[in-house]
Amino acid sequence: QAHAAAPAQHQQCPSSTPVALRQDAAGAEGACRLPVDDEAGPLPLSWSPWTHRPDCIYARSGAGTKYCAFSNSRHGARGVSIVTTPETAADVLGMLDQHVGTTEPLPDNSTTGRERERQRQAAFRIVDVPGKGKGVVAARRIAQHDEVMLDYAALLVDMAFATDVPAWTGYRVLHTAAAQLADPASVLGLGQSSGQAADPLENVLRTNAFHTILGGQPHMALYPLVSVRFRLWNVLALVRTSSQLERYADIVSVSNQRINHACKPNSYTRFIPQSIQVSVGAARDIEAGEEITISYITLGQTSAERHKALQQWGFNCTCALCTAGTEAVAASDARRRQVDALRGQAVEAFRRRKPYEALRLTRQVLGLLPAEELFPLYSEQYENMARIYWVLQDMERAEENARLSLDVLARQGYIDSVTPGHLDMLWRQFERERTEEQ
Ligand SMILES: C[S@@+](CC[C@H](N)C(=O)[O-])C[C@H]1O[C@@H](n2cnc3c(N)ncnc32)[C@H](O)[C@@H]1O
């Protein structure tokens, strides 16, 4: 209620991006969305654009903090449900507006949306992959940086919800959120690699959720197509009710489309906060029939480090690199250790004001990256080259490398295109770093 009374021109919505930086209409007008909860009126209009009346519970502690299930069953392909506070829900409406507007046609209902979806679908198909269950393979050739798939978040849950709410009612709200999706099976049918938690939906979250910031707050998010395991320690301490199990028993077995892990993945994921989507892009050209893979863990680790990291996630990796012969694995490990060491040495040399040494070391790193297919590191290394040339006042080479760095980001979709504005931002950043160092 507090922000309803504030003068419109000075308003800043509670936890969201400052008004000046917001692209959505509500932000531009300086008007904050009013939080709605279960006390909103009985008519759909009162809780619009949510398609269901919010189902809310109070947190165990805290001055009347409420969490509710907010659903719009028409968002994206299968609806979206967000279990969060009314304030966060109000904040994220700006993001969802592009897709949840009650008068605007939804992208997936429009001809172009359907066509785009059809083309995307045509890029991959789901097959059985020996030793890994289901997997995703390219149905046609996919060029480097082309989008392989684009997925909407289906279920988002505030991280604090898990520990803040009483278990039984917590499960109720969670299951209400899932049931209100246009396609509840897309979430409830996701794999559960552990039966550790009492509730099946909790296991699904533990197995598949991405960490996503929403309205400034950490949330777990399920993107059913992309769905990647994400370890959540002690997040949900909730219990199952047998009636919920019965209700879902017939849909929990539905199979889903998901991407397996590889230690030299051919694809990468990118979060699109404006629409709460995840996009999967090709890190290199992918041939028809090749399995689409992403990395579940930090890229560039050695076999022992990867084994340890993946053990925590509950499986032994059988990707091409891990099952290559002992010699190939040892050679890869040696290169990875070298990349790691050289990156550190280059930074250290630069810090000690030895730019030519830093240049030599960075060039060596760049030379090792293709063999290990560590694509995300290209942008960072080209930026370092630009930084060194900038210090050496060789602006021609600085710009050349800055463009290479930005070009990688543009091809990954992080920026629309490389503009002089982006170059200026880099120069300003280098300038700031120099001032801070002095
Ligand atoms: C998010 S799911 C991926 C889809 C899964 N294959 C399925 O059929 O539902 C993650 C699970 O797939 C399997 N998996 C994924 N990548 C693997 C890999 N590189 N080696 C072995 N198993 C893998 C593991 O069982 C893992 O727990």
Side-chain angles (χ1 to χ4, degrees):
Q1 297 302 319
H3 46 277
Q9 64 272 33
H10 298 306
Q11 275 174 355
Q12 178 169 324
C13 307
S15 57
S16 56
T17 322
V19 170
L21 301 178
R22 293 183 69 174
Q23 292 169 344
D24 58 282
E29 289 160 12
C32 298
R33 297 293 196 133
L34 285 180
V36 296
D37 60 16
D38 51 347
E39 282 161 39
L43 297 169
L45 218 57
S46 324
W47 59 80
S48 166
W50 308 114
T51 50
H52 299 71
R53 189 177 190 157
D55 182 5
C56 305
I57 48 173
Y58 280 102
R60 256 193 288 252
S61 57
T65 304
K66 251 187 190 181
Y67 292 94
C68 316
F70 295 94
S71 304
N72 185 298
S73 51
R74 295 195 296 267
H75 176 70
R78 58 179 96 77
V80 66
S81 284
I82 311 179
V83 177
T84 195
T85 60
E87 292 73 25
T88 300
D91 270 6
V92 301
L93 281 183
M95 289 182 182
L96 292 175
D97 266 349
Q98 311 167 29
H99 304 288
V100 185
T102 42
T103 50
E104 292 287 308
L106 296 164
D108 291 293
N109 291 339
S110 68
T111 319
T112 47
R114 268 205 305 273
E115 177 57 22
R116 234 181 294 134
E117 195 55 38
R118 196 192 60 74
Q119 285 170 5
R120 252 180 238 127
Q121 294 288 345
F124 63 88
R125 59 199 157 76
I126 310 305
V127 297
D128 288 321
V129 182
K132 295 186 204 160
K134 296 271 180 220
V136 179
V137 296
R140 55 169 167 79
R141 187 170 191 279
I142 302 168
Q144 185 183 27
H145 297 300
D146 271 5
E147 193 168 76
V148 180
M149 56 172 81
L150 181 68
D151 201 10
Y152 289 90
L155 177 65
L156 297 115
V157 182
D158 192 319
M159 289 278 201
F161 169 81
T163 45
D164 271 10
V165 299
W168 284 79
T169 45
Y171 275 143
R172 188 201 77 219
V173 168
L174 215 50
H175 282 264
T176 301
Q180 288 176 174
L181 293 170
D183 181 10
S186 66
V187 163
L188 295 160
L190 287 173
Q192 303 167 35
S193 66
S194 86
Q196 213 179 331
D199 183 88
L201 191 46
E202 179 187 345
N203 282 325
V204 162
L205 280 162
R206 282 181 185 234
T207 310
N208 300 286
F210 268 95
H211 182 267
T212 296
I213 302 289
L214 207 61
Q217 305 297 322
H219 285 67
M220 299 170 262
L222 290 175
Y223 300 88
L225 276 181
V226 180
S227 173
V228 175
R229 295 167 48 81
F230 174 68
R231 193 74 169 186
L232 292 165
W233 300 103
N234 310 321
V235 168
L236 298 175
L238 309 171
V239 293
R240 159 183 71 200
T241 69
S242 56
S243 68
Q244 279 162 351
L245 256 191
E246 273 166 37
R247 241 190 310 151
Y248 295 136
D250 53 342
I251 42 180
V252 169
S253 60
V254 174
S255 70
N256 261 275
Q257 311 171 343
R258 280 161 297 157
I259 305 179
N260 287 317
H261 161 89
C263 298
K264 271 189 191 178
N266 55 21
S267 303
Y268 53 81
T269 53
R270 181 174 68 88
F271 178 54
I272 311 169
Q274 292 84 351
S275 50
I276 324 180
Q277 287 176 302
V278 157
S279 155
V280 179
R284 59 165 169 77
D285 292 346
I286 301 172
E287 299 304 325
E290 241 188 282
E291 185 177 3
I292 310 278
T293 51
I294 53 177
S295 179
Y296 295 1
I297 55 173
T298 311
L299 275 177
Q301 302 187 68
T302 61
S303 54
E305 291 163 343
R306 298 195 305 267
H307 182 73
K308 195 164 163 225
L310 290 169
Q311 279 297 301
Q312 282 194 342
W313 301 79
F315 68 92
N316 283 319
C317 183
T318 56
C319 80
L321 178 60
C322 291
T323 53
T326 330
E327 272 176 37
V329 172
S332 160
D333 280 350
R335 270 193 301 267
R336 283 166 182 241
R337 269 194 288 269
Q338 209 182 346
V339 167
D340 209 32
L342 289 169
R343 279 169 79 197
Q345 287 166 22
V347 170
E348 187 52 28
F350 184 75
R351 219 180 49 75
R352 283 188 286 109
R353 300 179 191 209
K354 296 193 168 170
Y356 289 102
E357 195 181 329
L359 212 51
R360 183 179 58 78
L361 292 161
T362 309
R363 279 206 195 97
Q364 283 185 45
V365 176
L366 276 165
L368 288 164
L369 295 185
E372 289 306 307
E373 297 175 27
L374 297 172
F375 300 98
L377 294 188
Y378 276 78
S379 170
E380 171 198 283
Q381 293 305 308
Y382 283 129
E383 186 186 308
N384 284 346
M385 293 285 279
R387 183 178 277 106
I388 301 166
Y389 280 121
W390 183 85
V391 163
L392 291 171
Q393 295 289 297
D394 183 343
M395 286 311 285
E396 198 179 315
R397 290 209 171 94
E399 180 169 336
E400 190 186 311
N401 282 281
R403 281 186 183 280
L404 284 170
S405 170
L406 291 165
D407 197 45
V408 175
L409 295 184
R411 282 187 292 149
Q412 292 183 351
Y414 285 107
I415 54 175
D416 287 340
S417 60
V418 181
T419 62
H422 288 120
L423 289 171
D424 284 343
M425 266 167 60
L426 269 185
W427 309 146
R428 278 200 300 273
Q429 187 188 317
F430 297 165
E431 190 70 63
R432 258 196 315 274
E433 288 170 7
R434 183 160 62 185
T435 321
E436 276 165 20
E437 213 195 299
Q438 280 162 1

